[in-house]
Amino acid sequence: MSLIRENDQRSNAKKLYNYFEGHECYLPKYKISNYDIPYNKFRHIVLYLIAINMGDIRARKLFKSSASLCAEKYRQYEYFPWSIHPYSRLCLWFKIFYMFILIVTTLVIALLYSSSDPKDNSYFRCILLCTDIIYIFNILISLFTGYVEGYSCKTVELNLKKIMVRYSGTWLLLDIISISSIIPHIFKYDPLKLGLILDAMRVLRVPKHYVYIEDFLEVVNAELTAEIISEATFLLLTYLLWNIYFQFAMEYIIEGTYTPPSPRNCSWITIGKLWDRSSTVRFLYAMDRAVGMLRGNANLNLLEEDGCFDIYFMIAWFISKGLILHCTYKYIIAILGSESARSNYFVMTEQVKMYLNQRKFPPRIKKKILKFYAIRFHSHFFVEARMMSCLTGQLKEDIIMHTGKQLVQDVEFLKQLPRPLLLQIGTKLRVVIFIAGDIIIKINTIGDCLFFIYKGTVAVYSESGKEVCHLEDGDFFGEIALITKNRLRTASVVAVTNCELFQLNREDFESSVSSYSSVYEDFKKIATTRLEKTTVLDEHNKSDIKMKARKRADSVSYQF
C-alpha cells in the first residue's frame, strides 16, 4: 500500500509541477506556491483556457520563473477575471485558427475572381461569407485580450478599459473595414464595382496575419533560418494571390461586368484570349503575370497596343520591389549583423558551437552550455563593464539601484535595509547562472557566499535527503554558513529550474553588514530559525527511515 501511495504521489507531482523540468517534487502544493486559487471545475476549465500558459516560451522569457508565472496567474484571477491573457492557450489557439482562415480567404478570393463567371460561383462566395463571420468573432475576442507593452521592461496589460482603448487606436478600424464586404449580403444589394472594392478591403487583414505568424514562430521556438523562410513564404504567397485578385478586379471595374460582350483591346485578358477560357487557365496565366511582376520581367509588354498602358502593372511592380527591399532589410541585413548586440551574440554562439564540436563534447553538455549562454545574455551580447566605465559615480549608483530595484521589491528583508547598505551590497553582487538540476550548494562543505534569487526556483534538501522546501524569486539562502562558527553548509540546494542568482561573497558580506549590528542580528535570527527547522525535519526523516528499515527487516525474518 505504501508503495502504491508513493507512486501516486510521484505521478501527482509530475502533473502538478511539470514546470519544474523533470524535478520530482514531493512537497505538498501549499509549500510550492504562495498563490492558492480556489475554484470549481467550471472555473478551472475557464482559467485553463484564458489564464497564462506556464508552458508558453514567450511567458517563460518574460516572467523567467515559476513564482512570477504563478503571481501573474493569480493577478489575473483576482483583478482581471474577464480578460484573456495574451499568452493563454485560448489566445494561441485562436491565432492558429485565424491564420488558417486568413490563408483560406486569400486563396479563395483569388480563385473566385479568376473563375470564368465570378457572379455565379456561389460555393466560393459562401466560403468568403463564413470567413467574414468568423472574423467578427476575432474582433470580439480582441476586445478582451490583453497585450504586452514596453520594449526593454515589458509588462502585460489586462485592464479591459485600457485593452479596448488601445485596440480602438490600433487594429479596430482596420478590422471593421476588412469585414465591410458583408454589407451587400445584409442588404441584398451587390453592385459590381462596390462589391469588388469591399472585397479588396480584406487585404487589410494581412498585417495582423503577419503578426500572428511571428507569434506562432516564437511559440514553437523556430530557428532563425526557419523563421526567415516562413515569413518570406507568407509574404510571397500573399503578394501573388492578392495580385491575381487585383489583376482581374481592375479589368472587371473598367469593363463594368464580369463577362463583357465586346471587351477592350487593351485588356490583358483580351490580349491573352482568356475571356472564354477555363478557370484553371485564367488562374495560371494570372499567376504567371504576378510572378513576372515580382521578377520585373520585361516581356510583360507594357505597351501591347498603340495607346494602351497597363497602369496596374506599374503599381504592382513598385509594390513587388518594396516587398523585396523589406525582406532584404529585415532578414538579410539582420543576418549579416545590422544589430550589433544580436550579431555579436550570434557570432559568439557560433564560436562556442565550433569549440564544443572540436572538443567532441557529448550532446547533453553541449545543450547545457548553449542554454547557459541563452539565459545569461538573452540573445544580446555587450560588454557591460566597458559601458559602465564611462559613467559618473552618481549614474553608476542610479544604475545599481535600478538593477536591484526588483530584487529589493521582492525580498521583504532587504526593504528594511538603509540605502547606503543597499548601495554597498549592490556594487558587490555578482550575477551567476545555474541550469535546472545543478547543485548550487552541497551539504557539509565550507560556505563562502550568500545567494539572492532574482529569477528561478531552488529546492533545499536536508542531510538525510529530505526535501525541506522550495525558495523562489526574492528569497535568499546560504546565510547559515556565513553566520555560524564552523562555516559549513547545513543543507544542499539544487536548481529546480534555470536560475539567475545574485552572489555575495563572505568578505563582502562581512565588510558591508558588520557596521550594521541590527542587520547582522536579523540575519542571525533568520539563519537560526532555518537551521532549527531543517534539523527538526531531518531528525523526523531519519527516524522514519529507521522505522521503515526495521519493519522491512522484521518482515524478511518472519518469512524465513
Side-chain angles (χ1 to χ4, degrees):
M1 290 295 292
S2 61
L3 183 61
I4 295 173
R5 191 180 300 110
E6 185 176 335
N7 290 333
D8 289 342
Q9 289 177 351
R10 183 173 300 179
S11 62
N12 289 333
K14 289 181 180 180
K15 291 178 183 177
L16 289 172
Y17 318 131
N18 56 358
Y19 177 85
F20 294 149
E21 302 183 15
H23 173 73
E24 294 190 8
C25 179
Y26 300 102
L27 293 173
K29 193 173 182 180
Y30 72 89
K31 286 190 176 182
I32 296 295
S33 175
N34 296 323
Y35 304 97
D36 187 22
I37 303 177
Y39 41 64
N40 54 31
K41 189 173 182 179
F42 174 75
R43 185 59 177 159
H44 174 72
I45 295 173
V46 172
L47 272 178
Y48 177 81
L49 293 174
I50 70 172
I52 186 171
N53 178 15
M54 297 181 71
D56 194 313
I57 190 171
R58 299 169 299 168
R60 292 195 178 198
K61 285 181 180 179
L62 179 58
F63 295 99
K64 298 182 182 179
S65 69
S66 62
S68 299
L69 288 167
C70 291
E72 177 67 10
K73 186 174 183 179
Y74 183 80
R75 181 176 77 97
Q76 180 178 357
Y77 167 81
E78 188 71 20
Y79 302 106
F80 310 105
W82 300 105
S83 300
I84 302 174
H85 202 282
Y87 297 150
S88 64
R89 293 176 177 84
L90 184 66
C91 185
L92 177 61
W93 293 345
F94 267 113
K95 285 183 178 180
I96 295 173
F97 177 66
Y98 287 129
M99 282 166 52
F100 172 75
I101 292 298
L102 290 169
I103 292 171
V104 169
T105 302
T106 307
L107 179 60
V108 167
I109 200 170
L111 292 172
L112 171 63
Y113 286 100
S114 62
S115 62
S116 54
D117 192 1
K119 187 175 182 179
D120 294 334
N121 200 323
S122 57
Y123 177 71
F124 284 150
R125 290 191 176 277
C126 182
I127 293 176
L128 290 176
L129 178 61
C130 292
T131 59
D132 288 340
I133 294 172
I134 292 172
Y135 202 76
I136 293 174
F137 287 100
N138 180 41
I139 296 175
L140 296 176
I141 289 173
S142 298
L143 290 169
F144 292 90
T145 304
Y147 61 92
V148 180
E149 61 180 355
Y151 180 74
S152 58
C153 299
K154 295 181 178 179
T155 57
V156 176
E157 184 57 66
L158 296 174
N159 185 288
L160 283 178
K161 185 177 179 180
K162 292 183 178 179
I163 291 172
M164 293 179 183
V165 169
R166 183 178 185 272
Y167 182 54
S168 300
T170 51
W171 295 106
L172 181 59
L173 182 61
L174 293 178
D175 287 343
I176 291 176
I177 295 174
S178 70
I179 61 169
S180 58
S181 56
I182 205 171
I183 295 175
H185 296 280
I186 296 175
F187 296 99
K188 296 182 179 180
Y189 175 70
D190 189 16
L192 183 142
K193 292 184 179 180
L194 178 62
L196 288 169
I197 293 172
L198 294 181
D199 282 340
M201 294 300 103
R202 293 189 179 95
V203 75
L204 298 176
R205 300 175 191 173
V206 172
K208 203 168 189 178
H209 192 184
Y210 182 74
V211 173
Y212 286 175
I213 289 178
E214 285 189 327
D215 289 344
F216 175 74
L217 291 173
E218 187 177 0
V219 169
V220 299
N221 200 21
E223 296 288 339
L224 181 61
T225 304
E227 183 179 341
I228 291 172
I229 293 173
S230 301
E231 293 183 3
T233 302
F234 160 73
L235 292 173
L236 178 64
L237 289 177
T238 301
Y239 169 81
L240 293 175
L241 292 174
W242 277 106
N243 190 311
I244 293 172
Y245 164 76
F246 282 110
Q247 286 184 59
F248 284 101
M250 292 275 293
E251 295 300 324
Y252 295 150
I253 290 174
I254 294 172
E255 296 292 346
T257 179
Y258 295 118
T259 55
S262 54
R264 296 174 304 115
N265 294 329
C266 293
S267 171
W268 68 270
I269 302 178
T270 304
I271 296 170
K273 300 178 181 179
L274 300 174
W275 286 110
D276 298 325
R277 301 298 295 274
S278 66
S279 301
T280 304
V281 174
R282 287 157 65 96
F283 179 83
L284 293 177
Y285 192 94
M287 175 66 78
D288 182 67
R289 289 188 86 234
V291 173
M293 294 176 195
L294 187 65
R295 295 169 53 200
N297 193 340
N299 296 325
L300 287 171
N301 299 322
L302 289 176
L303 300 173
E304 294 289 350
E305 299 288 344
D306 292 338
C308 295
F309 188 75
D310 197 339
I311 299 176
Y312 175 72
F313 170 77
M314 294 300 299
I315 297 173
W317 185 86
F318 280 112
I319 293 174
S320 67
K321 297 311 169 188
L323 178 65
I324 293 173
L325 288 174
H326 168 78
C327 292
T328 303
Y329 175 77
K330 185 169 183 181
Y331 304 120
I332 307 301
I333 302 300
I335 291 176
L336 294 177
S338 63
E339 302 173 79
S340 58
R342 285 179 61 89
S343 63
N344 288 339
Y345 173 79
F346 177 77
V347 171
M348 179 185 67
T349 52
E350 289 300 313
Q351 291 176 350
V352 172
K353 289 177 183 178
M354 289 175 62
Y355 169 76
L356 296 175
N357 292 331
Q358 186 180 16
R359 293 302 181 97
K360 298 180 179 179
F361 283 101
R364 181 183 64 83
I365 297 180
K366 288 182 183 179
K367 185 177 179 181
K368 198 170 183 180
I369 292 174
L370 292 173
K371 184 182 288 186
F372 170 85
Y373 275 92
I375 297 170
R376 177 65 182 86
F377 296 106
H378 303 291
S379 301
H380 291 77
F381 176 72
F382 45 83
V383 184
E384 186 176 8
R386 187 182 301 169
M387 293 185 291
M388 290 287 287
S389 63
C390 302
L391 302 177
T392 62
Q394 182 60 46
L395 286 174
K396 286 183 181 179
E397 288 186 13
D398 292 340
I399 290 176
I400 292 169
M401 293 305 296
H402 174 76
T403 304
K405 184 179 178 181
Q406 187 63 45
L407 180 66
V408 173
Q409 287 176 350
D410 294 336
V411 183
E412 190 66 31
F413 179 78
L414 291 180
K415 292 179 182 179
Q416 307 169 9
L417 301 185
R419 180 184 172 88
L421 178 58
L422 278 177
L423 188 59
Q424 287 184 46
I425 293 176
T427 56
K428 295 169 182 176
L429 289 175
R430 187 168 66 91
V431 178
V432 289
I433 306 293
F434 289 95
I435 308 301
D438 286 350
I439 299 175
I440 304 173
I441 286 177
K442 195 171 183 180
I443 195 169
N444 293 327
T445 58
I446 296 176
D448 58 353
C449 60
L450 164 70
F451 293 97
F452 295 96
I453 303 176
Y454 176 56
K455 293 293 179 183
T457 303
V458 301
V460 181
Y461 293 90
S462 64
E463 186 178 6
S464 61
K466 174 73 173 179
E467 188 172 6
V468 178
C469 65
H470 280 185
L471 299 177
E472 297 181 315
D473 303 3
D475 288 324
F476 61 93
F477 60 92
E479 79 288 347
I480 296 177
L482 303 187
I483 299 296
T484 55
K485 293 182 180 180
N486 58 14
R487 298 189 174 189
L488 293 178
R489 300 292 191 190
T490 58
S492 296
V493 179
V494 178
V496 176
T497 65
N498 301 326
C499 296
E500 294 182 55
L501 310 177
F502 287 114
Q503 177 180 315
L504 183 64
N505 292 329
R506 174 186 291 275
E507 296 78 11
D508 297 328
F509 173 78
E510 292 175 349
S511 63
S512 301
V513 180
S514 59
S515 55
Y516 296 88
S517 57
S518 60
V519 175
Y520 184 83
E521 288 300 321
D522 290 338
F523 263 112
K524 193 171 183 180
K525 287 179 183 178
I526 294 173
T528 304
T529 303
R530 285 182 171 180
L531 180 59
E532 291 175 354
K533 179 182 176 182
T534 304
T535 304
V536 171
L537 289 173
D538 193 46
E539 290 299 326
H540 281 297
N541 191 49
K542 286 180 179 178
S543 62
D544 289 341
I545 292 173
K546 289 179 181 178
M547 188 176 297
K548 289 178 181 178
R550 191 180 297 113
K551 287 182 179 180
R552 196 179 296 111
D554 292 341
S555 64
V556 171
S557 60
Y558 177 76
Q559 290 176 359
F560 284 102

